[in-house]
Amino acid sequence: MINFQYARATDLADALRQIAAEPGAKFIAGGTNLIDLMKEDVERPPRLIDISRLPLREVEQTRHGGLLIGALVPNSDLAYHPLIERHYPLLASAILAGASAQLRNMASTGGNLLQRTRCYYFYDTATPCNKRTPGSGCAARYGVNRIHAILGTSDACIATHPSDMCVALAALDAQVHVAGPSGGRTLTFADLHRLPGTTPERDTNLAADEIITAVELPERGFAANYSYLKIRDRLSYAFALVSVAAALELEHGTIKEARLALGGVAHKPWRNVSAEAAMRGEPANRATFARAADAILRDAKGFAHNAFKIELARRAILRALSQAAAGTPQSQSVKKIR
Amino acid sequence: MARTRRKRPNGQTIPAPEKITISLTVNGAPRELAVAPWVTLLDALRERLGLTGTKKGCDHGQCGACTVLVDGRRINSCMTFAVMQDGAKVTTVEGLARDGTLHPLQQAFIDHDAFQCGSCTSGQLCSAAGLIAEGRASTVEEIRELMSGNLCRCGAYPNIVAAIQQAMERQRS
């Protein structure tokens, strides 16, 4: 690890002042991703600004019937929060599908959103990577790319976003509250993360001097009909090859509202509103779900080792939507897929 | 520590930071120490406080051998800097036994032969203590899932789960 300076932010204004004062400085909260990347020499911030003691740990109900989740609420506290368990079980389930109990105790809500890819070439400083070193090339494109993206890739980068929580937040239409030097702004979840394009070094649309302060959930939580299905190489404590967040609102067997988001397949949680629109007003059955799967995967493109993900995703989508429709969500402890 | 003196890509060097004095309560005892910012809690415990019961396995948050309890919650001590934990109450495997009596989990691990090489054991014990305090596991499947952050290369998992079950039941009765 390379030498760095450390300072604790006393309040939000102090955090913003400190980040603006030193180019390349980074905020640290849970540290579970950043410290790992610093040990690997992938991240080399000259200064860490510790925001972990800022008062951003509340989960509050909003005037609009939703929830405002402070950026420093630990992942485990969020997954087990009574209001999340009751009204947003899709989110609770997705959080519990990720990492380990220890890491969930440490990791923050805002930090989860800002996780960097687990592409092994991004981590390996001996190889080219446009995300780590812009312009150096992409070792994954013609390398070992079993875990890589099948949607929204570019010549420059085929990395995936690693988060499970974010897949649920995308499906739930969450919003991200951000503070910066010129005040606050709110991003839709779809606008937070970027596709790689020609600038894969930028994961999100946040500026370097901005900070996530909260995540807001709308009222609609799909608590009756949802499922988070994660397919990976081991039964626990592994990143998704493919994951599916499925949420339905049903009326007498007809789909009133549908949400479908995929993890492990793209540079960001993958949603396709036309695939969801095509389910509205249709019967909740396999034929409808198959059309939605075809729609969301229409432009999927495999590389040398990951083409299997296209069929895997199709089957996982059918299964997750069927689980959601039946009101029998995937358990995150009993791993049998029913 | 030659690596920490390496120059940055722009040729500038970062001035060596002052050591920062922090206070920890470790296994009930107040400890004060001055650490550089890059010292992980794990290294502070092992190298500075001599508490080598906590193991460095992968040093990347992937194996769980370094699990300790911070303010009662299990975390990976390799994935946090000691300066970030200033003021925290830390419990390591050395702090589980009380007055010469093994913690019920330690006794259960012996009863069930829940270790072979022992390298993961202190992390397993602290993690299991955290698991029981969280109160989210009752079935075998739930124990297995919520202990998945602790790898055992010897494969003693069935015995580890049995030991945790025993400790849970003793605590309940």
Side-chain angles (χ1 to χ4, degrees):
Chain A
M1 194 184 317
I2 204 161
N3 181 10
F4 64 91
Q5 304 278 329
Y6 169 90
R8 205 173 282 158
T10 53
D11 56 28
L12 190 59
D14 181 47
L16 290 169
R17 237 183 343 263
Q18 288 199 45
I19 198 91
E22 186 155 358
K26 283 198 173 287
F27 293 126
I28 188 163
T32 55
N33 191 203
L34 181 56
I35 293 176
D36 191 27
L37 289 166
M38 288 170 70
K39 287 181 180 184
E40 295 283 3
D41 218 16
V42 174
E43 296 276 11
R44 313 167 105 205
R47 173 180 294 270
L48 289 184
I49 302 156
D50 185 352
I51 56 167
S52 63
R53 295 172 196 230
L54 298 186
L56 299 170
R57 287 179 179 259
E58 300 298 316
V59 177
E60 304 159 59
Q61 287 176 293
T62 66
R63 282 176 296 146
H64 318 291
L67 282 185
L68 195 65
I69 302 158
L72 292 171
V73 175
N75 290 180
S76 50
D77 291 15
L78 188 58
Y80 296 132
H81 193 285
L83 291 172
I84 299 293
E85 285 185 322
R86 193 175 322 137
H87 299 297
Y88 306 93
L90 173 65
L91 178 57
S93 184
I95 294 170
L96 294 176
S100 67
Q102 290 97 315
L103 291 168
R104 291 192 295 267
N105 276 343
M106 307 172 81
S108 67
T109 299
N112 192 310
L113 270 49
L114 300 178
Q115 277 184 88
R116 308 217 64 193
T117 185
R118 260 58 177 198
C119 171
Y120 10 75
Y121 299 105
F122 174 69
Y123 263 79
D124 182 356
T125 55
T127 63
C129 170
N130 288 319
K131 185 180 281 297
R132 174 170 30 79
T133 312
S136 63
C138 173
R141 202 173 170 79
Y142 299 104
V144 177
N145 47 38
R146 184 170 178 275
I147 65 169
H148 290 79
I150 54 172
L151 285 160
T153 59
S154 71
D155 288 344
C157 182
I158 61 170
T160 62
H161 194 262
S163 171
D164 290 295
M165 185 175 96
C166 288
V167 183
L169 289 174
L172 291 168
D173 258 345
Q175 293 196 309
V176 182
H177 292 242
V178 171
S182 48
R185 63 180 180 127
T186 304
L187 286 82
T188 66
F189 210 79
D191 284 341
L192 175 67
H193 298 105
R194 297 163 57 90
L195 288 180
T198 56
T199 52
E201 68 274 17
R202 290 193 63 193
D203 292 348
T204 72
N205 285 313
L206 298 185
D209 56 1
E210 287 185 310
I211 186 170
I212 296 174
T213 55
V215 172
E216 184 173 349
L217 293 173
E219 185 175 11
R220 196 175 233 160
F222 300 91
N225 294 94
Y226 73 94
S227 189
Y228 188 76
L229 178 60
K230 179 175 180 180
I231 312 292
R232 48 192 146 172
D233 281 330
R234 19 178 226 223
L235 283 177
S236 183
Y237 203 15
F239 290 100
L241 289 168
V242 168
S243 71
V244 183
L248 298 170
E249 231 174 73
L250 303 174
E251 213 171 62
H252 311 299
T254 298
I255 298 168
K256 224 174 108 191
E257 176 69 24
R259 300 286 171 79
L260 179 62
L262 307 181
V265 297
H267 200 258
K268 61 190 285 187
W270 194 262
R271 251 183 93 180
N272 177 332
V273 286
S274 66
E276 294 170 5
M279 285 191 271
R280 265 179 233 129
E282 300 292 321
N285 60 26
R286 280 183 74 84
T288 301
F289 302 152
R291 280 196 297 277
D294 289 341
I296 200 170
L297 295 169
R298 185 167 299 133
D299 298 325
K301 174 177 164 291
F303 295 87
H305 310 110
N306 72 348
F308 75 96
K309 280 193 177 187
I310 301 173
E311 181 60 20
L312 184 66
R314 194 187 136 78
R315 294 180 188 205
I317 291 166
L318 279 172
R319 186 61 64 111
L321 282 166
S322 301
Q323 290 174 329
T328 53
Q330 178 62 41
S331 163
Q332 300 304 349
S333 51
V334 180
K335 299 301 174 78
K336 199 159 191 125
I337 300 170
R338 293 174 202 279
Chain B
M1 294 278 280
R3 293 188 69 192
T4 58
R5 286 197 295 272
R6 199 168 60 227
K7 284 190 176 173
R8 298 193 155 263
N10 60 10
Q12 291 176 343
T13 49
I14 306 291
E18 298 287 316
K19 286 192 174 178
I20 299 167
T21 301
I22 60 166
S23 304
L24 299 172
T25 304
V26 183
N27 301 327
R31 306 294 294 259
E32 199 165 273
L33 63 166
V35 287
W38 54 79
V39 175
T40 60
L41 178 60
L42 172 62
D43 285 342
L45 290 169
R46 286 181 56 86
E47 310 295 334
R48 300 294 303 281
L49 300 179
L51 294 168
T52 53
T54 306
K55 301 303 178 199
K56 185 185 278 194
C58 68
D59 207 24
H60 288 279
Q62 296 176 7
C63 77
C66 69
T67 303
V68 299
L69 300 167
V70 169
D71 297 328
R73 293 159 67 99
R74 50 177 166 160
I75 68 161
N76 301 109
S77 62
C78 74
M79 282 288 109
T80 187
F81 293 123
V83 286
M84 298 170 66
Q85 301 301 334
D86 187 14
K89 289 190 177 69
V90 182
T91 303
T92 68
V93 69
E94 289 93 341
L96 291 181
R98 287 281 156 79
D99 307 321
T101 305
L102 291 180
H103 187 281
L105 274 164
Q106 291 172 309
Q107 187 58 52
F109 269 57
I110 293 170
D111 294 347
H112 289 271
D113 195 16
F115 45 86
Q116 289 175 43
C117 82
S119 194
C120 73
T121 307
S122 41
Q124 300 277 4
L125 287 165
C126 287
S127 188
L131 171 91
I132 293 173
E134 289 157 14
R136 292 281 166 175
S138 48
T139 66
V140 168
E141 288 85 358
E142 286 162 350
I143 294 171
R144 287 173 59 92
E145 171 60 22
L146 293 175
M147 287 295 292
S148 73
N150 293 83
L151 306 190
C152 170
R153 296 300 300 271
C154 302
Y157 296 111
N159 298 11
I160 292 170
V161 172
I164 295 171
Q165 274 186 303
Q166 172 182 309
M168 275 179 170
E169 279 157 22
R170 297 258 163 100
Q171 202 190 35
R172 246 181 259 129
S173 59

